[in-house]
Amino acid sequence: DGVLINSASNAKIINSIISGDNGVAISNGENVVVKDTQIVNSTNGIQVTGSNDTVIDMVSVVNSTKNGVYLKGSNGTVISNSLFENNGVDPYFSEANNILLDGNENTVIVNNTINYGYFGLYFKNTNKNTIVDNNVIYEGIGDAIYLSGRYIGLNITHNSIEGCFMGVNFNGYSEDVEVLSNLIWKIHSHEGEPQSGREYDLFYNFRHTTDLYGQYDNAIQVFELASNFHGEVHIENNVCVLVEHRAWE
């Protein structure tokens, strides 16, 4: 790791240039701040596990082979005013994301620019009480926001999503979700996207019961994998234009 914070509290990483397997690794930390910092050419740019009240602000994470930020089992993380660009190098590798959220609570992702790479925001396992507001997500080969696992208390608001594989893709179990006042446009195909049903399954890291190849390039997709799949989902006042397949699937 470039910088390892392990079972420590009130640590600050400020105005630094860092690389390493994990550029910054925060494990069981409390009140750790990463600010005004560049992280380049790491495996995971910033990895936060089992930590509380981490602040990631005004950072630049570029060219990570897996994730720009990997949040796992943490509470109260804030990611703000930052650039995540070209993180994740293999679309058929499950950790190829600008930001991966794995079993977290009370996460705030606001005012960030998320460019290129593969998936923008990838939700897995159970994430509770997440705010995704006023971000720009641009030209990812994967989905801008891919919702797998279970997501409870999720607000996706005032984001600009352009040119990704899909805009917002519901592919898990939802409870109390709001998708409001987003611009989702120019959703289109890219070189490197899946070219067969098998590749499509690998792209989403699980096997579908039916071949869904071709059901992509949508601004918003709500797909049902089980009965009682979606609860209390509110999608309103979004602008979905210039999409290659459908505004809604």
Side-chain angles (χ1 to χ4, degrees):
D1 302 314
V3 175
L4 173 62
I5 306 294
N6 190 3
S7 300
S9 60
N10 303 315
K12 293 183 179 180
I13 303 165
I14 299 176
N15 196 26
S16 303
I17 300 174
I18 301 168
S19 64
D21 182 17
N22 298 301
V24 176
I26 303 166
S27 178
N28 301 310
E30 300 276 346
N31 301 310
V32 176
V33 175
V34 184
K35 187 170 183 177
D36 292 315
T37 291
Q38 299 177 44
I39 302 170
V40 294
N41 300 326
S42 295
T43 303
N44 292 297
I46 302 174
Q47 179 170 297
V48 181
T49 56
S51 297
N52 294 319
D53 301 321
T54 302
V55 174
I56 300 167
D57 184 54
M58 297 179 67
V59 303
S60 171
V61 182
V62 179
N63 294 336
S64 299
T65 55
K66 289 186 180 180
N67 304 290
V69 175
Y70 180 18
L71 300 182
K72 182 177 176 63
S74 295
N75 181 47
T77 304
V78 176
I79 304 173
S80 59
N81 306 308
S82 297
L83 170 67
F84 304 97
E85 187 167 87
N86 201 38
N87 297 295
V89 297
D90 186 348
Y92 304 115
F93 181 52
S94 62
E95 294 184 7
N97 315 285
N98 274 296
I99 300 175
L100 174 61
L101 298 97
D102 182 356
N104 304 281
E105 296 188 19
N106 303 311
T107 306
V108 176
I109 301 172
V110 61
N111 297 334
N112 301 288
T113 300
I114 302 169
N115 291 340
Y116 304 102
Y118 288 92
F119 290 93
L121 306 180
Y122 191 123
F123 288 64
K124 64 184 291 187
N125 294 321
T126 299
N127 288 277
K128 298 180 180 179
N129 301 325
T130 308
I131 294 173
V132 180
D133 183 68
N134 200 37
N135 301 281
V136 175
I137 307 175
Y138 179 78
E139 285 294 351
I141 289 180
D143 302 343
I145 301 175
Y146 177 57
L147 304 172
S148 69
R150 185 178 295 274
Y151 32 99
I152 302 167
L154 170 62
N155 292 273
I156 300 172
T157 54
H158 311 110
N159 300 284
S160 176
I161 296 170
E162 179 180 348
C164 299
F165 185 68
M166 280 197 276
V168 180
N169 186 3
F170 287 77
N171 222 341
Y173 296 84
S174 58
E175 300 175 38
D176 188 17
V177 178
E178 291 193 338
V179 180
L180 305 177
S181 302
N182 300 281
L183 170 62
I184 308 173
W185 68 315
K186 296 185 180 179
I187 304 301
H188 63 88
S189 57
H190 302 74
E191 185 178 353
E193 288 173 353
Q195 297 298 313
S196 67
R198 177 179 178 276
E199 288 183 349
Y200 193 93
D201 289 338
L202 289 171
F203 197 69
Y204 287 109
N205 197 34
F206 64 87
R207 170 106 3 224
H208 295 289
T209 55
T210 58
D211 184 0
L212 297 180
Y213 177 62
Q215 296 186 30
Y216 52 79
D217 297 332
N218 302 309
I220 298 174
Q221 175 167 291
V222 183
F223 184 69
E224 183 177 359
L225 293 176
S227 59
N228 301 317
F229 181 65
H230 298 293
E232 301 175 21
V233 178
H234 179 202
I235 302 175
E236 185 177 11
N237 200 39
N238 301 282
V239 176
C240 305
V241 295
L242 299 176
V243 296
E244 196 165 280
H245 193 224
R246 292 194 174 102
W248 287 66
E249 174 92 20

